């Protein structure tokens, strides 16, 4: 097992290098440059040229890449072109907000999707199953930015039940209820599509397991239906879902960009969007790599968990 | 129902419902099993034999399948009428079952020990430690020498034969009065088959459990059974002692089954198989269910369904050839 984990971690190195090269390249192809946005309109073209030169942006792309990679390997993420602040500090400031959002969404997804999926599978083709099926197609199809805006318009602006955005009331003391109050809507919006999708996965997985021979054996042993389902079917049905959670992680990252923007949630996603608009290359690259590591790590954890719950898998 | 009858199935009828149509998969099946007796139910796949056993256990896949008529008397109670709560106590305790697929009939995520113990704890209300002890003894009884290690193993580490032994140990652990074995050896290698059959014969004596052996394989029947019920198209077509079935089969279908067993002695014996396949429940012919494949089919067979008649005290058959008065009118009766 340990050998497997080490091997897997080593395998992520070429993957991350590949990702960094590709994203670095793509970023350079995008039109515009960091100097275009925030500089004094009266600046002369010569000065601008000098500035680009100073930032190293006139060097050939491979040279720029190697310089960036060299710094990264020394643990230096560089500093923002725009604010001149240390990128690592910028990320760590905002990371907790995003993590809170993501973890809440993940928990919401599990708590909602798994029970509903199970009920749908056990009562396949019942009224409840149809209702849940319809609701999940709805959930998958609704664009999260639209859902977010609608919730803000109705629940926050018109009914005033929820704050319009932010992580907490400005200037107030830390207050758990206030935080949760602010957290609920963005977390819900971020979770909606995944909830819907996980419901479907759980249902499918449970349907498959429901008719397995060992479930019939459990019935033949005289166990009550509840024990048959929760002890003998559920654990087998949940195994494939672990992988699904690993694969859903990237959608959270993508979703957080949109959701944080809508709910003015000062997290990584917002930072990512801002830095992209401003062509703030060091920040963009750092966040891209951060996302890549998260995805790779998510998959690794899913694989390890899989081996923990399924005795048939040995690494 | 006499003293020593364990199970008495009367006019059992189980159907599957799809949309508005009712497809009978078990149609008016009656038989009984005596204490310590091994009764074989024989038939090709699709004959309704597995559904008969699932009906006895009340485990017909719902919501499509349903017992629509008849009685299943066990211990003086009609199981068809019992509520779920009573059935939970009967299954795995009074009546146990072994299935065809040892590879998939054990839960892959629990150890053998867990799967044996849970049933003991559940039915006998004993401690985990006691259950563990009984589990080890049961595994030794079915032939595991290192039972202690097997208890800790997961099913995927055992071979098919070993898993079937585990299933047998599990099924017998609560001392059931009746053991239903649904094709217990079909999925196994021939040598392993023989071992498992030996084991079952030995244990049925030792535990004095009645056995219903469900199989398509008359070779297995010859090894284990005392009485045979032959099923076709959801119905019992013949019931007789093992000697009568092999020496003098009455129903043309039984005859066909016997002719399809390869014989080693007697070189002139031809390996016959019955032409055609079992009709599906939605496709049963008018008249005798076997009429489409029967070499002796007569005019009357196409018109009216024959009834199961008592040939003598221990034999029953469902065929016009053996009904008085009809036989003589048969036009195409070839002697066999
Ligand atoms: S009743 Fe007729 S068709 Fe049916 S088995 Fe007998 S002879 Fe054949």
């Amino acid at each position: 097992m340990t050998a497997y984990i080490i091997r897997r971690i080593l395998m992520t190195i070429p993957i991350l290098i590949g990702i960094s090269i590709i994203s670095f390249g793509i970023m350079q192809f995008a039109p515009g440059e960091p100097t275009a946005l925030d500089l004094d309109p009266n600046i002369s073209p010569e000065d601008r040229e000098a500035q680009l030169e100073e930032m190293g942006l006139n060097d050939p792309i491979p040279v720029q890449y190697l310089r960036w990679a060299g710094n990264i390997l020394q643990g230096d993420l560089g500093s923002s072109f725009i604010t001149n602040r240390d990128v690592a500090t910028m990320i760590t400031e905002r990371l907790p907000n995003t993590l809170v959002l993501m973890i809440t969404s993940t928990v919401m997804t599990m708590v909602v999707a798994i029970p509903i999926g199970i009920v749908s599978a056990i009562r396949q083709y019942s009224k409840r199953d149809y209702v849940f099926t319809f609701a999940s197609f709805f959930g998958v199809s609704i664009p999260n930015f639209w859902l977010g805006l609608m919730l803000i318009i109705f629940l926050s602006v018109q009914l005033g039940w929820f704050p319009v955005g932010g992580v907490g009331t400005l200037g107030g003391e830390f207050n758990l209820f206030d935080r949760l109050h602010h957290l609920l809507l963005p977390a819900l919006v971020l979770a909606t599509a995944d909830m819907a999708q996980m419901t479907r996965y759980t249902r499918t997985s449970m349907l498959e397991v429901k008719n397995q021979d060992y479930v019939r054996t459990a019935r033949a042993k005289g166990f009550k239906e509840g024990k048959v389902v929760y002890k003998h079917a559920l654990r087998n049905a949940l195994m494939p879902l672990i992988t699904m959670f690993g694969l859903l992680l990237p959608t959270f990252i993508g979703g957080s960009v949109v959701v944080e923007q809508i709910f003015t949630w000062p997290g990584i996603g917002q930072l990512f969007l801002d830095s992209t608009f401003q062509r703030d290359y060091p920040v963009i690259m750092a966040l891209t790599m951060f996302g890549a590591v998260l995805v790779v790590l998510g998959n690794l954890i899913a694989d390890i968990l899989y081996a923990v719950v399924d005795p048939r898998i040995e690494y | 129902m006499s003293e020593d009858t364990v199970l008495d199935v009367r006019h059992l009828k189980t159907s599957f419902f799809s949309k508005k149509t009712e497809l009978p998969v078990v149609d008016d099946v009656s038989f009984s099993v005596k204490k310590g007796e091994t009764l074989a139910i024989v038939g090709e796949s699709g004959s309704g034999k597995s559904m008969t056993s699932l009906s006895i256990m009340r485990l017909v896949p719902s919501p499509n399948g349903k017992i629509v008529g008849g009685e299943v008397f066990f211990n003086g109670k009609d199981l068809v009428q019992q509520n779920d709560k009573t059935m939970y106590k009967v299954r795995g305790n009074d009546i146990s079952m072994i299935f065809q697929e040892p590879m998939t009939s054990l839960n892959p995520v629990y150890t053998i020990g867990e799967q044996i113990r849970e049933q003991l704890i559940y039915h006998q209300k004993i401690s985990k430690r006691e259950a563990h002890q009984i589990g080890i003894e049961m595994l030794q009884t079915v032939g595991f020498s290192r039972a202690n290690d097997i208890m800790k193993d997961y099913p995927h580490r055992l071979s098919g034969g070993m898993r079937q032994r585990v299933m047998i140990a599990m099924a017998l652990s609560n001392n059931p009065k009746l053991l239903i074995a649904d094709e217990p050896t079909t999925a196994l290698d021939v040598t392993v088959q023989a071992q498992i059959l030996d084991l079952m014969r030995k244990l049925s004596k030792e535990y004095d459990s009645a056995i219903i052996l469900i199989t398509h394989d008359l070779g297995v029947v010859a090894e284990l059974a005392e009485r045979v019920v032959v099923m076709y198209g959801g119905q019992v077509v013949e019931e007789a002692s093992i000697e009568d079935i092999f020496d003098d089969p009455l129903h043309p279908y039984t005859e066909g089954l016997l002719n399809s067993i390869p014989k080693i002695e007697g070189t002139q014996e031809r390996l016959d198989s019955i032409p055609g396949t079992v009709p599906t429940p939605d496709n049963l012919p008018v008249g005798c269910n076997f009429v489409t494949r029967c070499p002796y089919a007569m005019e009357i067979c196409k018109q009216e369904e024959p009834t199961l008649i008592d040939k003598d005290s221990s034999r029953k058959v469902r065929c016009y050839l053996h009904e008085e008065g009809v036989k003589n009118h048969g036009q195409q009766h070839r002697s066999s």
Side-chain angles (χ1 to χ4, degrees), chain B residues 198-264:
Chain B
D198 272 345
L199 179 66
M200 286 184 58
R201 192 176 322 128
K202 187 186 115 205
L203 292 179
S204 69
K205 292 277 165 311
E206 222 173 290
Y207 284 77
D208 204 27
S209 302
I211 297 181
I212 296 180
L213 176 70
I214 292 167
T215 181
H216 68 282
D217 183 347
L218 281 167
V220 173
V221 173
E223 290 278 324
L224 271 183
E226 285 136 33
R227 232 149 32 85
V228 182
V229 166
V230 182
M231 283 188 70
Y232 187 84
Q235 295 176 322
V236 174
V237 294
E238 180 162 6
E239 181 186 332
S241 70
I242 182 90
E243 293 83 11
D244 286 344
I245 284 282
F246 281 93
D247 294 346
D248 178 24
L250 293 183
H251 197 280
Y253 177 61
T254 316
E255 204 179 288
L257 281 180
L258 283 167
N259 285 339
S260 61
I261 315 177
K263 292 191 181 66
I264 296 165

Side-chain angles (χ1 to χ4, degrees), chain B residues 251-253 288-292 294-298 300-302 304 306 318-322:
Chain B
H251 197 280
Y253 177 61
C288 174
N289 282 345
F290 192 52
V291 71
T292 46
C294 181
Y296 311 113
M298 301 168 284
I300 186 170
C301 308
K302 293 178 192 143
E304 219 171 315
R318 188 193 290 272
C319 173
Y320 285 123
L321 293 175
H322 303 283

